[in-house]
Amino acid sequence: MPKTSVEMATRRETRQIHVGNVAVGGDAPITVQSMTTTKTADYEGTLQQIYALAGAGADIVRCTCNEREAAEGLARIVPRSPVPIIADIHFHVEMALAALEAGVQGLRLNPGNLRKPEEIKLVAQEAKDRGVPIRIGVNAGSLHPDLYKRFGGATPEALVESARMEIAYFEEVDFHDVKISVKASSVPTMIAAYRLASETFDHPLHLGVTEAGPPPAGLLKGTAGIATLLAEGIGDTIRYSLTADPVEEARAGRQLLEALGLRERKGLDLIACPSCGRAEIDVITVAKAAQDALSALNLPLQVAVMGCVVNGPGEAREADLGIAAGRKKGHLFIKGKIVRVVPEDEMVQALVDEAQKIVAEGIEARIAAADQGAEKEAEADRQALFASQGEDANHSEEVILEIRRRIGKADDA
Ligand code: SF4
C-alpha cells in the first residue's frame, strides 16, 4: 500500500533550559524566535515591534545590544515586553554585562567575535549567577580565523568545533545553561553542521539559515534547512533570517511549525502584557477571563489585554482589538485607536461584544463607529495616571545608572 504521509523522526532528546518563562529543549514545544530591526535605544518603537512579533507567532525576541544606549533601552523594554528578550552581543564584553544588568532573559554570544577566554568566562559566570541562559551563536560568516585556517574553511566540523570550544570555557565556571546554533548561509553546510551538532551535544539547538535574503528565495532557503532538520527530529527553537519586516520571519516560523504538526493552529490569538509597575489590574486574571470568553467564539482575531492605559494601546497598536485598564475603567482600542471607555468590571464583556462586531462589520467600520469623546476621556485618564505614577514606574532609571557605572568600570579596565 502506498504511504499517505511522511513520518517525522522522533525528536532527539536534549536537555531543557528556560529563557524567562519559555522552556526550550527537552519535551517543550518547538519555539519561534525573531529579531527586532529597530534601534534598541528607541525603546517605544522596539516595544511596538516586539508586540507585533509576538502577535505574529514569536515566542522569544532578540534585540541587539551594541552600545550603551541599547543596553539602557533594554532596561526599559524588558519589564514591558510580552515575551522574553535575548540580547545579541557581538564584540563587547561590557555590553553583555550591561544587558544582564538590564534584566534580559537570555544572551547570544558569537564566539567568532567575543574571543578572549577570560571575557567569555566572566560573562558565563555572571549569567550563571543570575540564572540567565546563553546561546552560543556560531556563524559561518564570522568564524574564528584560527578555526577557519585549521579546517580549511567554515566547514560543518569547524562550526561545531567553535561551539565545543566555547562550551569548554563555560564549563570551567560550571555554567551549562546553554543552547547552540551553527548557522551558515549555505543550506547544505547548515544541515550538515546541525546534524553533527546534534550528535555531539545534548544542548538544545537553535536552527536557522543565516542571511537567507529577501522572500521568496529567503523563505525557501530557510524552509529547506529548518524543515529538513525538524523532520529528522533535530531542533528545539527556530528563526528565519529574512531581509524583510521581521514580522514575516515570525509568521513564517509559526506557519512552518504548524504545517509540520509541531505546533497547534491558532484561531484566536490573545496577547497579554507582562504587567509592570504601571499595571492597574491583575492582567493574568483579566487575560484568562478574556481567553475563556473569546475562545468559545473561536474568532480569527488578535486581541491584546494590557495592564495600563498609559502605554498599553500604543504598545499593542498592531493588535486588531485590545483593552487597557486605568482608573477603574477599561479603554477599548482597535488598531491602537481608543473607541470606547467602559467601567472596569464590564471590560471583558465589552471586549467580547466588540470582537463579534469586528468580525461582522470589519475593522474600518468599527473604528468609524467609535464613541465621540472616547479619545479625549482616555487621554485625560492617561495624563492623570502619568501624573500620579511619575515617568519611571518601573525604576528603570536606577538600572540605567548601574549600567553606566558598570560600563564606565569596564572602560577603565
Ligand atoms: S502595565 Fe502598561 S506599561 Fe506595563 S507592561 Fe502592561 S501595558 Fe506595558
Side-chain angles (χ1 to χ4, degrees):
M1 237 173 82
K3 271 198 163 185
T4 52
S5 66
V6 177
E7 267 190 37
M8 304 271 287
T10 307
R11 188 162 161 204
R12 306 270 179 111
E13 228 171 271
T14 53
R15 52 174 97 172
Q16 191 168 80
I17 63 165
H18 284 86
V19 182
N21 58 2
V22 175
V24 177
D27 60 358
I30 293 169
T31 41
V32 175
Q33 305 203 23
S34 183
M35 187 165 177
T36 50
T37 52
T38 47
K39 274 204 169 294
T40 311
D42 169 17
Y43 55 95
E44 295 293 359
T46 302
L47 268 165
Q48 280 168 22
Q49 195 169 62
I50 292 168
Y51 267 90
L53 292 172
D59 302 293
I60 297 168
V61 171
R62 182 159 47 116
C63 301
T64 191
C65 185
N66 55 343
E67 54 188 3
R68 195 195 74 203
E69 290 78 8
E72 294 180 13
L74 287 172
R76 296 186 165 100
I77 289 165
V78 170
R80 291 167 54 188
S81 169
V83 290
I85 298 295
I86 293 181
D88 199 41
I89 309 299
H90 281 268
F91 297 95
H92 305 294
V93 67
E94 64 269 29
M95 288 306 140
L97 301 176
L100 288 170
E101 195 65 55
V104 295
Q105 289 90 353
L107 289 181
R108 182 268 175 146
L109 300 186
N110 180 340
N113 292 347
L114 194 67
R115 296 181 192 162
K116 291 187 187 147
E118 62 277 18
E119 291 186 350
I120 296 167
K121 285 187 261 180
L122 176 67
V123 176
Q125 181 66 53
E126 178 127 358
K128 182 183 159 198
D129 293 347
R130 294 174 184 260
V132 172
I134 296 179
R135 168 158 68 97
I136 299 174
V138 181
N139 193 319
S142 53
L143 187 67
H144 194 296
D146 292 352
L147 287 170
Y148 199 90
K149 226 161 111 190
R150 201 167 112 205
F151 286 86
T155 61
E157 292 74 17
L159 301 182
V160 171
E161 176 62 10
S162 175
R164 199 198 56 73
M165 286 168 63
E166 190 88 345
I167 287 177
Y169 292 133
F170 288 0
E171 282 174 351
E172 283 185 42
V173 293
D174 200 24
F175 179 71
H176 309 278
D177 217 359
V178 168
K179 59 190 163 80
I180 296 169
S181 62
V182 280
K183 296 187 186 182
S185 56
S186 149
V187 176
T189 303
M190 168 267 188
I191 290 173
Y194 277 103
R195 282 178 179 154
L196 185 58
S198 170
E199 286 165 14
T200 310
F201 311 115
D202 66 351
H203 301 83
L205 295 180
H206 164 123
L207 304 185
V209 175
T210 191
E211 293 140 17
L219 276 170
L220 287 169
K221 279 173 82 175
T223 305
I226 297 169
T228 300
L229 290 162
L230 289 175
E232 293 177 8
I234 296 171
D236 301 282
T237 182
I238 67 170
R239 182 206 170 193
Y240 276 83
S241 299
L242 299 176
T243 312
D245 183 335
V247 166
E248 283 198 52
E249 295 183 357
R251 199 174 286 134
R254 181 77 203 189
Q255 285 172 345
L256 178 68
L257 295 183
E258 288 178 0
L260 290 171
L262 294 169
R263 292 288 289 265
E264 274 178 29
R265 249 168 238 288
K266 291 202 217 181
L268 167 75
D269 182 14
L270 190 123
I271 48 176
C273 84
S275 182
C276 72
R278 287 211 187 277
E280 287 274 298
I281 46 163
D282 177 351
V283 177
I284 295 171
T285 306
V286 175
K288 173 139 188 7
Q291 176 92 47
D292 291 348
L294 289 164
S295 293
L297 302 171
N298 198 24
L299 303 174
L301 288 178
Q302 190 180 102
V303 177
V305 175
M306 308 299 283
C308 79
V309 298
V310 175
N311 294 318
E315 285 173 2
R317 69 175 59 182
E318 299 292 327
D320 297 316
L321 172 66
I323 193 93
R327 304 185 83 213
K328 303 276 167 244
K329 296 178 212 169
H331 292 198
L332 200 67
F333 56 92
I334 299 175
K335 294 284 178 195
K337 184 174 165 39
I338 308 291
V339 293
R340 224 155 17 120
V341 178
V342 298
E344 188 178 289
D345 57 0
E346 292 173 20
M347 61 196 267
V348 173
Q349 190 54 48
L351 194 67
V352 174
D353 292 346
E354 192 59 48
Q356 287 174 306
K357 286 181 186 157
I358 288 179
V359 171
E361 300 170 28
I363 283 188
E364 296 304 323
R366 291 311 301 162
I367 290 178
D371 281 355
Q372 292 275 331
E375 278 278 15
K376 213 167 158 198
E377 186 177 351
E379 185 53 31
D381 285 340
R382 264 200 296 271
Q383 291 306 331
L385 277 168
F386 212 54
S388 67
Q389 293 176 334
E391 285 193 21
D392 187 23
N394 291 322
H395 310 291
S396 299
E397 292 304 325
E398 286 167 29
V399 178
I400 286 168
L401 284 177
E402 186 57 25
I403 287 172
R404 288 182 187 165
R405 197 187 60 78
R406 287 202 78 149
I407 289 182
K409 264 196 178 172
D411 282 348
D412 298 341

